């Protein structure tokens, strides 16, 4: 499936979603299960050296409505956070050199490989934003929402049968949240633990060259450190993220 990524980029512009940010639809039941898994991993998604998130003091009313599944008042405008989340997700798919990953990690140029690479970068964004309290966790939910919207859109562009696409979406959702748990545990562990998580998820247990694992572990560590150095308020309001190259020149 040569040059798939470039073709999909040209046909499915994420910027077309901006007008619908203010009327985001509720997540599907499958995604709702994933959100619960995502919230359970909020304490795991920080590196050993990362600053711990400061819990915001909220009133009793806010606690009640959030316990019911709603989002209480946030420090920043929800509309601004949604726009920032869109920009941050866009950076995961438009500022990532997929072809370099295909080449360096010997991955086939397929939709599944695109998803695995995107998943890794989305997860790193989630790790960073969970450090920004309630606003950051809300932004994480919106980033994941945009990711699934993008996956569905690309599936339609490829002409996938709607029934098969729906079935694959369920499998990909389960894979995504299993990957989140594995990556969270790996980033809190040493390099061997992170390598094991990447081997299971990113390489699907099929990496025969340890140099590929070593390269990816180094990439994740330096990327997380780079994201931690970025100002949290700027990320919440702009969502602008740039990625360091897979191989430093």
């Amino acid at each position: 499936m040569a040059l798939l990524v470039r073709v999909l980029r040209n046909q499915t512009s994420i910027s077309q979603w901006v007008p619908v940010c203010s009327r985001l639809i509720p997540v599907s039941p499958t995604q709702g299960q994933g959100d619960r898994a995502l919230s359970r991993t909020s304490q795991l998604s920080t590196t050993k050296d990362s600053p711990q998130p400061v819990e915001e003091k909220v009133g009793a009313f806010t606690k009640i409505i959030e316990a019911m599944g709603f989002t209480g008042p946030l420090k920043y405008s929800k509309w601004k956070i949604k726009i920032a989340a869109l920009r941050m997700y866009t950076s995961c798919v438009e500022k990532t050199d997929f072809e370099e990953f295909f080449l360096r990690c010997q991955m086939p140029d397929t939709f599944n490989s695109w998803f695995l690479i995107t998943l890794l970068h989305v997860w790193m964004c989630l790790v960073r934003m969970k450090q920004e309290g309630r606003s950051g966790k809300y932004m994480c939910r919106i980033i994941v929402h945009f990711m699934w919207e993008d996956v569905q859109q690309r599936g339609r562009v490829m002409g996938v049968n709607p029934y098969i696409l729906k079935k694959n979406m369920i499998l990909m959702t389960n894979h995504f949240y299993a990957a989140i748990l594995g990556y969270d545990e790996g980033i809190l562990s040493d390099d061997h633990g992170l390598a094991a998580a990447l081997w299971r998820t990113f390489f699907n247990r099929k990496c025969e060259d340890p140099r590929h694992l070593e390269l990816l572990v180094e990439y994740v560590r330096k990327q997380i450190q780079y994201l931690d150095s970025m100002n949290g308020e700027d990320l919440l309001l702009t969502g602008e993220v740039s990625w360091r190259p897979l191989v430093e020149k």
Side-chain angles (χ1 to χ4, degrees):
M1 198 179 298
L3 306 180
L4 173 63
V5 172
R6 286 201 296 270
V7 172
L8 290 176
R9 281 179 180 171
N10 292 334
Q11 295 187 13
T12 57
S13 174
I14 299 175
S15 61
Q16 296 173 358
W17 302 344
V18 174
V20 301
C21 286
S22 60
R23 50 186 176 86
L24 289 175
I25 60 174
V27 295
S28 65
T30 304
Q31 292 173 339
Q33 295 172 6
D35 281 341
R36 290 193 290 272
L38 193 63
S39 64
R40 288 198 298 271
T41 64
S42 61
Q43 297 302 318
L44 286 175
S45 298
T46 53
T47 60
K48 295 177 180 179
D49 299 326
S50 300
Q52 295 299 314
V54 178
E55 290 297 329
E56 300 175 36
K57 293 182 180 180
V58 296
F61 178 74
T62 300
K63 291 181 179 179
I64 291 174
I65 63 176
E66 290 189 343
M68 296 172 62
F70 299 99
T71 302
L74 300 174
K75 183 178 179 181
Y76 304 102
S77 164
K78 291 182 182 179
W79 167 254
K80 291 182 179 179
I81 293 177
K82 289 176 182 178
I83 294 296
L86 174 59
R87 289 185 181 136
M88 185 169 287
Y89 174 72
T90 302
S91 73
C92 293
V93 294
E94 294 188 356
K95 294 184 179 180
T96 300
D97 191 340
F98 288 90
E99 293 185 4
E100 184 177 24
F101 276 88
F102 296 156
L103 176 64
R104 300 284 185 179
C105 299
Q106 294 187 358
M107 304 174 71
D109 186 355
T110 63
F111 182 77
N112 185 61
S113 295
W114 171 87
F115 177 71
L116 291 173
I117 298 169
T118 301
L119 185 158
L120 181 66
H121 288 80
V122 166
W123 165 73
M124 288 190 285
C125 288
L126 301 183
V127 170
R128 178 62 185 88
M129 297 318 300
K130 286 174 188 174
Q131 299 174 32
E132 299 304 319
R134 294 170 57 253
S135 296
K137 292 176 183 178
Y138 175 75
M139 186 169 176
C140 288
R141 289 168 48 194
I142 305 304
I143 292 172
V144 173
H145 172 85
F146 280 127
M147 183 193 71
W148 292 126
E149 286 287 312
D150 189 27
V151 170
Q152 287 182 314
Q153 178 79 355
R154 291 171 189 266
R156 296 189 191 103
V157 170
M158 294 173 62
V160 179
N161 180 281
Y163 173 78
I164 296 177
L165 179 60
K166 182 178 180 180
K167 186 176 180 180
N168 288 342
M169 285 291 295
I170 295 175
L171 295 175
M172 294 173 75
T173 301
N174 294 334
H175 181 80
F176 175 80
Y177 290 104
I180 291 292
L181 289 170
Y183 286 158
D184 282 344
E185 293 175 355
I187 199 65
L188 286 174
S189 181
D190 56 16
D191 287 350
H192 292 89
L194 180 57
L198 291 167
W199 176 75
R200 288 192 302 269
T201 300
F202 190 87
F203 290 105
N204 196 25
R205 303 174 185 265
K206 295 179 181 179
C207 180
E208 299 179 357
D209 191 338
R211 291 175 298 180
H212 297 159
L213 271 175
E214 181 182 6
L215 176 64
L216 208 56
V217 168
E218 180 184 357
Y219 177 76
V220 170
R221 292 290 187 193
K222 71 181 180 183
Q223 210 65 258
I224 291 290
Q225 184 180 21
Y226 178 63
L227 290 172
D228 283 342
S229 69
M230 303 181 72
N231 182 274
E233 184 175 2
D234 290 343
L235 291 175
L236 281 169
L237 297 178
T238 68
E240 295 293 341
V241 172
S242 58
W243 303 101
R244 296 179 62 179
L246 181 61
V247 178
E248 299 285 354
K249 296 182 181 179

